[in-house]
Amino acid sequence: MLADDIARRRAALWRALPDDVRAVLVFGFGDALGAGTMSHGALRYLTGWNSHEAQSLAILTPQGCRLLVSSPFLAPPSDLGAQSLPSNRWGEAIAAHVGPSGPLATIGFGEMPHATHSTLCAALGGHAVTQADDILSTLRMVKSPTELASLTKGAALCDDLFDRLPVHMRSGEPVWKTQLRQETHARLSGADYCRTWLTVRPIADRPRYWPEENRNIPQDGDQVLFGIALTVNGYWAHGIRMGTVGPARAEHEVLWSIAHDALLAGEAALTPGCPVGDIETAMSGVVLSRTRGSADLRRFRNGHGLGVSYEDPMLSDHFPQHWGPEQFRTAPPDAQTIETGMVFELHPNLFIPGLGGAALGDMMTIEPAGARAMLHFPRRLFLS
């Protein structure tokens, strides 16, 4: 990330905060937690720093940045004023840097471990605190040309991995080895991070991520569903494609067509000025209308925003998580309209026990005339 971009982001954040805020405390883990963290995206957006598996805290003031890193084995850039310090002593460092009292803003504290959080709360007792996560999330929605360049590079890597996949289905190796080869290739080709799911089964049942659930060797008649999530310069690229080992069965072609038509409906709804919630409505409408009578239908989230977080905050909240118990579903947020420069991942999907599954995912950038797909690998069923 360019220093000028980071300076502009910090300036925009200060303009959006209450005038009396003296410092902003930004917490984050690094990319070792992969898609499981949003605080990492906030920290990286404002500092460029990847904390990997360690906790970090940036103390931002109008004068600059002071970075506290909980591991002594990491070496941040010198311009971040970094200090290696156990998290139970961060409160002392904050008091020394900004004083014992006064208004502060916090970002990323919702993902902070309890031990760290309780220590900081005790140390910050004299400060009035503003939670600024939503303020920053709003500033992150529209991507700059620099950000779009990183997202485009990530999309090209996804295309490369999709192109390499069919030959692996005939290698005679178990599925987990194909995943490892693909993820390693992505890293060698310029990805900071890469995680995949690969389901190769006669009846695709769900996303499968781990070696212990992918020890099977591909066989004729298997469905193939392949999902990629990787980062380039901290920005997430994501896509899903599907195919078959040998000729596709008729029922699997029907499932593919449902996912394909839902993706087209979501893409058509991506128009500047329209509500973000319309995208979810369009895709779910296709899937549900084409699967009437399937009481055991299973689906995961139909899409999300993309950026320095895998599920870019606020935009992603408009896409409910359908998989699993009701407790994973949350009320939709306040209405948000689609704007030029936003980036989405749309991946409508469906799984019907005893029949099969389907999922197609594409990165979409919003331009004045509508959505432009960032992936180029064909959406049709590929044949291995």
Side-chain angles (χ1 to χ4, degrees):
M1 297 182 188
L2 298 178
D4 288 347
D5 287 336
I6 291 173
R8 282 193 290 270
R9 295 168 188 174
R10 292 184 192 172
L13 177 61
W14 282 111
R15 289 193 297 271
L17 289 169
D19 292 339
D20 60 350
V21 169
R22 297 174 55 185
V24 186
L25 309 180
V26 187
F27 173 80
F29 277 107
D31 67 356
L33 293 182
T37 170
M38 286 190 290
S39 64
H40 169 55
L43 182 69
R44 192 154 188 180
Y45 185 81
L46 291 169
T47 66
W49 167 241
N50 182 357
S51 197
H52 297 291
E53 78 278 7
Q55 301 177 55
S56 289
L57 184 79
I59 307 171
L60 302 180
T61 66
Q63 292 73 41
C65 175
R66 177 72 178 278
L67 181 70
L68 308 179
V69 183
S70 65
S71 170
F73 297 103
L74 298 175
S78 58
D79 63 339
L80 295 179
Q83 177 183 3
S84 296
L85 191 68
S87 58
N88 61 4
R89 294 186 56 195
W90 284 358
E92 304 169 25
I94 294 168
H97 196 59
V98 302
S101 63
L104 302 174
T106 62
I107 295 172
F109 275 40
E111 292 185 352
M112 186 179 287
H114 175 73
T116 303
H117 192 268
S118 59
T119 301
L120 279 186
C121 285
L124 299 177
H127 295 269
V129 176
T130 297
Q131 294 183 1
D133 298 82
D134 286 353
I135 294 173
L136 182 65
S137 296
T138 300
L139 297 175
R140 290 168 53 184
M141 285 185 185
V142 173
K143 304 303 185 285
S144 70
T146 302
E147 294 178 289
L148 287 171
S150 293
L151 288 157
T152 299
K153 289 179 181 178
L157 280 180
C158 290
D159 283 332
D160 184 26
L161 295 189
F162 288 134
D163 191 54
R164 293 168 54 86
L165 180 64
V167 69
H168 285 299
M169 294 296 98
R170 294 294 185 180
S171 68
E173 291 187 331
V175 174
W176 73 268
K177 286 192 176 182
T178 291
Q179 283 183 274
L180 181 59
R181 292 186 190 283
Q182 292 281 71
E183 291 168 9
T184 300
H185 177 76
R187 292 291 307 279
L188 292 173
S189 300
D192 316 316
Y193 171 95
C194 181
R195 192 79 185 91
T196 66
W197 64 269
L198 181 56
T199 301
V200 184
R201 298 272 160 166
I203 296 175
D205 53 353
R206 57 182 171 83
R208 291 173 171 261
Y209 291 90
W210 308 107
E212 60 267 25
E213 59 186 7
N214 273 336
R215 299 195 184 282
N216 57 300
I217 295 172
Q219 305 292 328
D220 282 337
D222 282 347
Q223 286 193 279
V224 182
L225 275 63
F226 185 43
I228 304 167
L230 57 82
T231 62
V232 173
N233 300 325
Y235 284 86
W236 286 90
H238 186 20
I240 305 174
R241 291 292 187 267
M242 56 185 295
T244 60
V245 182
R249 301 206 296 270
E251 61 268 30
H252 294 161
E253 291 184 341
V254 171
L255 292 173
W256 169 85
S257 73
I258 296 172
H260 181 259
D261 290 350
L263 181 56
L264 290 178
E267 188 173 8
L270 281 169
T271 303
C274 292
V276 175
D278 286 2
I279 315 167
E280 165 67 21
T281 300
M283 290 187 290
S284 284
V286 171
V287 173
L288 295 177
S289 68
R290 299 272 295 274
T291 56
R292 288 195 180 99
S294 299
D296 49 0
L297 171 70
R298 302 181 75 188
R299 298 184 292 150
F300 55 78
R301 190 188 295 270
N302 274 322
H304 49 88
L306 281 177
V308 282
S309 293
Y310 170 76
E311 292 181 345
D312 231 21
M314 297 189 77
L315 290 181
S316 298
D317 295 340
H318 292 272
F319 300 87
Q321 177 57 269
H322 301 287
W323 198 276
E326 291 292 330
Q327 289 84 347
F328 284 90
R329 295 154 179 76
T330 57
D334 293 338
Q336 170 66 50
T337 56
I338 299 167
E339 298 180 40
T340 300
M342 289 179 172
V343 177
F344 293 87
E345 167 72 15
L346 303 187
H347 47 45
N349 60 93
L350 64 153
F351 297 83
I352 301 176
L355 186 63
L360 285 173
D362 227 316
M363 298 169 63
M364 304 283 184
T365 182
I366 309 304
E367 298 181 339
R372 176 175 61 82
M374 301 178 73
L375 299 177
H376 300 294
F377 189 83
R379 296 174 182 174
R380 64 176 179 269
L381 281 169
F382 63 79
L383 179 66
S384 299

